[in-house]
Amino acid sequence: MPSTVPTGYLELGKFRLSLLVLFTASIGYGVSAKQLDWPVFLGLLTGTMLCSMGANGLNQCWEYKRDARMARTKNRPIPSGRISLGHGIIVTTTWLMAGIVILILSVNMTTAYLAILTFASYLFIYTPLKTYNSVAVLVGAIPGAIPPVMGWTAATGEISNQAWVLACIMYLWQIPHFMSLAAIYRKDYARGGYKLLPDNPELEQATRSIIVVFSIALLGISLLAPLAGLGERLFGFGALLSGAILLYLSILFYRSYSLKNARRIFFASIIYLPVVMGLLLVDQRLILF
């Protein structure tokens, strides 16, 4: 195999994106577990990472022809020829199956079922839908909201009201995050044949309005989360400050379209997640102890 293959595997599985999935699953486990069970926690991390990389890789196998037409994706392993399509399918399918088996054997069936729901909705609903209708962004946020619930069920074996609230926060966060990214790369996505935005945000306001609405909803659900037993003052303060900044930037983008304003939302959303989720973890551990 060429020397580029090990790096190609990481790119094929979207390793950095998978780390984000791992992070949110870890938060779900950390805020719900009464004590750390190392075999279960390590099984959750390993199984979730393999499932995420497997699903991401199969997504690239599906879309390699479209990726080849886009500037930001043309150098991915399959369209660039570093990894063949057949080899990519075998490797990523193996990752996915191994991840499910690990979750079944070392965590529990509920968590494994959630992993199956995640990759199935991502691969078989979101992936084909995004070439037909911009509602795909709303649908695609569903699999992105499930990993913290997987962490919760790994620790407790059940989906509680708090787990649903955590999933809602993750779901709502993804819309400003991904729509701002889609606005930045709108022309590139169009070359790939993707329909990720309901309009041209440079000229119209539907996309910009959706970003504002979901930023408001994210701020609201985050501030109400303590009423459901998820976090307290530390988390509430962080959610208020971070959510208010994201909402402010969304309103700026709504009032004045520019790539600079879209990038501000995107980068603010990247900062938002670790800050708010980290504060939630600290807050929740203090509550438990």
Side-chain angles (χ1 to χ4, degrees):
M1 287 286 187
S3 60
T4 55
V5 166
T7 302
Y9 283 156
L10 296 180
E11 294 177 31
L12 184 63
K14 297 182 182 177
F15 181 70
R16 288 183 295 178
L17 178 59
S18 295
L19 285 178
L20 175 62
V21 172
L22 209 62
F23 170 73
T24 59
S26 300
I27 293 296
Y29 185 91
V31 300
S32 59
K34 293 183 178 179
Q35 61 182 17
L36 180 61
D37 186 329
W38 276 108
V40 171
F41 184 58
L42 291 177
L44 171 69
L45 295 182
T46 305
T48 300
M49 175 60 84
L50 287 170
C51 286
S52 178
M53 291 186 67
N56 288 332
L58 285 172
N59 171 261
Q60 288 191 46
C61 292
W62 187 318
E63 297 181 332
Y64 77 97
K65 291 183 179 179
R66 295 181 183 275
D67 284 347
R69 302 203 295 262
M70 297 169 58
R72 66 184 296 268
T73 57
K74 66 182 181 181
N75 292 320
R76 283 177 173 175
I78 295 176
S80 67
R82 286 177 290 149
I83 293 178
S84 70
L85 177 60
H87 184 72
I89 292 174
I90 292 171
V91 169
T92 54
T93 302
T94 301
W95 288 342
L96 188 56
M97 293 176 64
I100 296 297
V101 170
I102 289 171
L103 291 175
I104 292 173
L105 296 180
S106 63
V107 185
N108 55 52
M109 285 301 302
T110 302
T111 305
Y113 286 143
L114 288 172
I116 293 170
L117 175 62
T118 301
F119 82 74
S121 58
Y122 177 66
L123 283 175
F124 303 122
I125 301 178
Y126 168 68
T127 296
L129 184 60
K130 63 184 179 178
T131 62
Y132 292 101
N133 196 292
S134 61
V135 76
V137 173
L138 302 181
V139 174
I142 295 173
I146 296 176
V149 183
M150 291 172 58
W152 195 286
T153 58
T156 68
E158 61 182 12
I159 304 176
S160 66
N161 290 334
Q162 293 96 326
W164 284 114
V165 173
L166 192 56
C168 284
I169 292 173
M170 275 301 303
Y171 180 87
L172 295 171
W173 167 83
Q174 289 176 87
I175 307 306
H177 177 74
F178 286 117
M179 280 198 157
S180 60
L181 179 66
I184 295 168
Y185 293 104
R186 179 178 60 83
K187 293 180 180 178
D188 208 21
Y189 279 122
R191 280 192 290 270
Y194 297 115
K195 303 181 186 299
L196 297 177
L197 297 176
D199 66 353
N200 178 356
E202 187 174 357
L203 304 174
E204 301 167 282
Q205 293 183 323
T207 296
R208 289 183 268 166
S209 298
I210 292 170
I211 291 175
V212 171
V213 168
F214 276 85
S215 296
I216 293 171
L218 176 62
L219 179 59
I221 195 70
S222 299
L223 295 179
L224 292 174
L227 298 179
L230 195 65
E232 283 191 345
R233 293 181 180 178
L234 187 62
F235 165 73
F237 174 77
L240 174 61
L241 181 61
S242 301
I245 292 172
L246 186 61
L247 176 57
Y248 171 73
L249 294 175
S250 300
I251 293 173
L252 282 183
F253 184 58
Y254 175 81
R255 296 178 63 182
S256 176
Y257 171 86
S258 71
L259 291 179
K260 181 179 179 180
N261 284 340
R263 288 191 180 97
R264 284 174 172 171
I265 296 172
F266 180 70
F267 287 116
S269 69
I270 290 176
I271 296 170
Y272 176 97
L273 196 64
V275 168
V276 171
M277 290 298 179
L279 291 175
L280 174 61
L281 179 61
V282 172
D283 228 0
Q284 201 73 7
R285 297 317 298 178
L286 290 174
I287 293 171
L288 289 175
F289 293 107

